[in-house]
Amino acid sequence: MKLSVWTYEGPPHVGALRVATAMTGLHYVLHAPQGDTYADLLFTMIERRDHRPPVTYTTFQARDLGSDTANLFKTACEAAFDRFQPQAMIVGASCTAELIQDDPGGMAQTMGMPIPVIPLELPSYQRKENFGADETLFQLVRRLAEPMQRTDRITANLIGPTALGFRHRDDITEVTALLEEMGIAVNVCAPYGASPKDLTRLGAAHFNVLMYPETGEAACRWMERELKQPFTKTVPIGVGATRDFVAEVAKITGLDARLDETRLRLPWYSASVDSTYLTGKRVFIFGDGTHVAAAARIARDEMGFEVVGLGCYNREMARKIRALANEFGVPALISDDHLDVEAAIAEAAPELILGTQMERHIGKRLGIPCAVISAPVHVQDFPARYSPQMGLEGANVIFDTWVHPLVMGLEEHLLTMFREDFEFHDDAGPSHQGGAHARREATDTPAQDAPDEAGNVIWMDAAERELKKIPFFVRGKAKRNTEAFANERGLDEISVDTLYEAKAHYAR
Amino acid sequence: MTRHSPPPPTMGCSDAPVLKERGQHEVFCGLTGIIWLHRKMQDAFFLVVGSRTCAHLLQSAAGVMIFAEPRFGTAILEESDLAGLADAQDELEREVDRLLARRTDIRQLFLVGSCPSEVIKLDLSRAAERLSARHGPKVRVLNYSGSGIETTFTEGEDACLAAMVPALPATDQRQLMMVGALPDVAEDQALDLLGRIGIDNITVLPARHADARVGVGPNTSFALTQPFLGGTHSALERRGARHIPAPFPLGEEGTTAWLRAVARDFGIDQARVDAVIDAPRARARKAVAKAADSLAGKTVFFFPDSQMEIPLARFLTRECGMEAVEVGTPYIHKALVAPDLELLAEGPVISEGQDVEKQLDRCRTARPDLTVCGLGLANPLESEGMTTKWAIELVFTPVHFYEQAGDLAGLFSRPLHRRDRLKLEAAE
């Protein structure tokens, strides 16, 4: 058993639901107890879908346990088929149904449905949501796709976007446009917007664009093997990655690498003088493996930040993220325990967190600005406006999103120059974040964040005053370093000199 | 009876046939009760023993609250827990030890059963006994089931309170016990009114703190503030306490009838009651009248959710002039909702349980002006052109007693107002 309050991922059947909801003409019959229908509201509320997810839950109750649940499942399958007339069905069990061993797959096979019925084996006690989505798409593709004549024109399939995906809706538009510029049409985008019939046409494309490895890699690998379709390895998030993606596609297809950069603004914005203050800003990056890897590259190469920590919650991407962390010379954090993440962030004391909804709250607690780069996300990250992460417009969106929580350059300059001033003091916060802007009290109240005496080191008054002159975003780090420095040397007190000796010691 | 409330229909819906359905239930399980119960019991921790699905549900239902150092969590079952039952008890003990070491402010710990833990027959009552012995007397460990296979949404609160009843100390004192977790503001208003009427020995279940001395015995009369407390009702009767049947204190009429029933049980004459409630009654009527303008004559359809549907339908039809088309409820405790059913005019379909597709068909055919339903159905119905009121809000928002009567009506009139205000259709 493991005590958990917050989970980055839901159970695997929620992943299957994400695939089913993304598609049309497909119905999911889920053997599950009353109550599991809660998952519907993820789609109707967070993603604001205007229809119910195409799922029938058997909703068995205690009195059904025994022989009746199997019957319940069959009835639910028949009723779902009669009512929705889907082109194909997927059937499976949720965590509780897994325990009662009714074998939905086997039962559905014996019912003789006139449509393909695809059983899903999703081990609820070992795997999680992303696995569920990846596996479901894989099973659908394996069952429905066949080798066939390639289209005359060069076409690609877009693989991986699902319901409840972070910016999947707009990424599809952006990638479609990228391909269009090179003269490539999209054959099928799956699962988002595809029907089972569309999946039977997958084989007609010349290659696959793997948009999200978390939810599409198994399907892409199968198609590479069985349909001889190569798939792209670069995820086009960021300017550099988009250029690499175009080059990769050019290599696969033999077409010219064409990329119209007239709408791209990130490079100039990042080069303009107001961005100078971004240089070396310390960022901590956490989320799903794909978005973290992309964000790390943008942070270092396109924004000029210093990456001080990175990690992911999906262990499927652990190897990739470990290698990346190695390259960046920072420790990799592979964990789905938000307390671990909070501890790592507190330790790294970054000036900006790029993370999920959870890190947004960790940031709030620690007083560190945060931008959201990955699922799980909340309703505000399914925006009405066009806001992709991929491609050139994605890069523009990312620049704005990441810079916004930081104090603007001029504003930060003022804060530093006039930090004794009643308006521009350290606790004022960025003025564009109205609520956080607090005026300084007229009279000097006793220091509330007085250094504690952990480690038996006492801060002398003068040193404490000096510490407060250090900008707030590095103060925590300075304080810890100085205390560690004093401890190492067996000092009981920290004077102004100790403070600056420590500063010199840790300077690079 | 006042001129504001029409006289009760001769029979009401007491003997109306109930449409019993089974099929897909679009409802929450009892675990969701934790979300409001933990706010009420300030030194209690709710530990669900379940799967990742349970944790995910709590997270989805708790929304943003999950981050405020909440007093609930899930001990997620792993492969190894399923393989052999023997060490599940040890595992649980270890997790609880760690939890209590970290949260020294916890005085009551609820082990909450889920579908997976019930199906593998993990004996949580034995675990609770063992843990009580280990951590008592400082921490009391109780258990109940909030599983979907046994409980629907608010029944989780019922199961929790019912689990507390056998452990209450015995008392012979003549007292009133008010049962049901209400928002503090509504609870305080009720206690104030009851006190002024002349009832001075009142306890509340659940109490805000573990050390509040709540006893029960043959001289205890109890009044329910929520309709979903059937199990608690039986558990209290088993302890010798006596139930005061009354309509539920929703709206002006419900609150008045509830207070009068309690006063009668304590032999307090009506003149004294009226002297206390005249002013708040008038205020409530005025507040309800404002919202009722836009509700009068409109039809309402209830999908099953919380068991509050029957008293709410009574309030909306009698005090706001609405017409009920269907009143769906997950479960009907005849003994508890009989006074409300009597007041509800004949006409609506009363349904118990659910087959969601069939019920949606009935709803689409009826085209009600307002549909009360869960969040899984609300947006899809809105996109079909129907106006909805999502039901869960009625459990979290203070809606009971006089001062909240206007707010309660407002919850239903707001979606209708909004539909009138928005001019989003494209010009022809």
Side-chain angles (χ1 to χ4, degrees), chain B residues 404-424:
Chain B
Q404 281 72 239
D407 303 341
L408 178 58
L411 287 177
F412 294 95
S413 62
R414 193 168 305 125
L416 291 165
H417 276 306
R418 183 164 182 79
R419 180 155 290 254
D420 286 343
R421 282 174 84 122
L422 295 181
K423 305 277 183 271
L424 293 173

Side-chain angles (χ1 to χ4, degrees), chain A residues 11 23 40-41 55 92 96 133 161 170 201 255 277 291 340 367 369 414 416 421 431 436 466 469 474 504:
Chain A
M23 290 181 62
D40 282 2
L41 66 89
V55 190
T96 304
D170 297 341
R201 293 191 292 108
L255 295 168
Y277 79 103
H291 285 91
D340 289 351
L414 291 172
T416 319
D421 186 280
S431 59
E466 199 67 17
K469 293 180 192 164
V474 287

Side-chain angles (χ1 to χ4, degrees), chain B residues 60-225:
Chain B
S60 311
V64 84
M65 215 153 70
I66 202 107
F67 304 101
E69 205 45 63
R71 280 172 289 101
F72 58 84
T74 309
I76 296 183
L77 293 165
E78 291 168 330
E79 274 282 276
S80 53
D81 299 305
L82 303 176
L85 277 178
D87 67 335
Q89 295 276 350
D90 298 341
E91 287 273 305
L92 187 56
E93 222 156 88
R94 193 197 62 214
E95 286 302 323
V96 168
D97 287 354
R98 275 179 47 197
L99 171 70
L100 291 178
R102 214 175 63 207
R103 302 294 299 271
T104 50
D105 52 325
I106 302 303
R107 303 284 313 282
Q108 307 181 71
L109 176 69
F110 290 95
L111 302 178
V112 189
S114 65
C115 301
S117 75
E118 295 295 324
V119 166
I120 63 170
K121 305 224 179 315
L122 186 56
D123 191 348
L124 289 183
S125 69
R126 194 163 73 91
E129 263 171 43
R130 277 171 55 166
L131 285 164
S132 270
R134 194 180 167 100
H135 296 281
K138 194 190 159 228
V139 183
R140 196 175 45 173
V141 186
L142 295 169
N143 79 289
Y144 71 91
S145 172
S147 73
I149 55 177
E150 292 156 302
T151 59
T152 305
F153 195 32
T154 47
E155 280 182 288
E157 174 175 335
D158 186 33
C160 174
L161 301 191
M164 296 171 78
V165 171
L168 297 179
T171 174
D172 279 337
Q173 275 193 23
R174 175 73 182 134
Q175 63 164 350
L176 172 68
M177 183 184 275
M178 193 164 83
V179 187
L182 292 182
D184 290 351
V185 56
E187 183 178 301
D188 290 342
Q189 287 167 15
L191 292 174
D192 177 58
L193 285 168
L194 290 165
R196 280 161 47 204
I197 284 169
I199 301 170
D200 34 28
N201 201 357
I202 311 171
T203 54
V204 179
L205 188 73
R208 292 179 204 184
H209 295 279
D211 49 13
R213 307 193 63 80
V214 181
V216 66
N219 288 319
T220 302
S221 294
F222 68 93
L224 303 175
T225 57

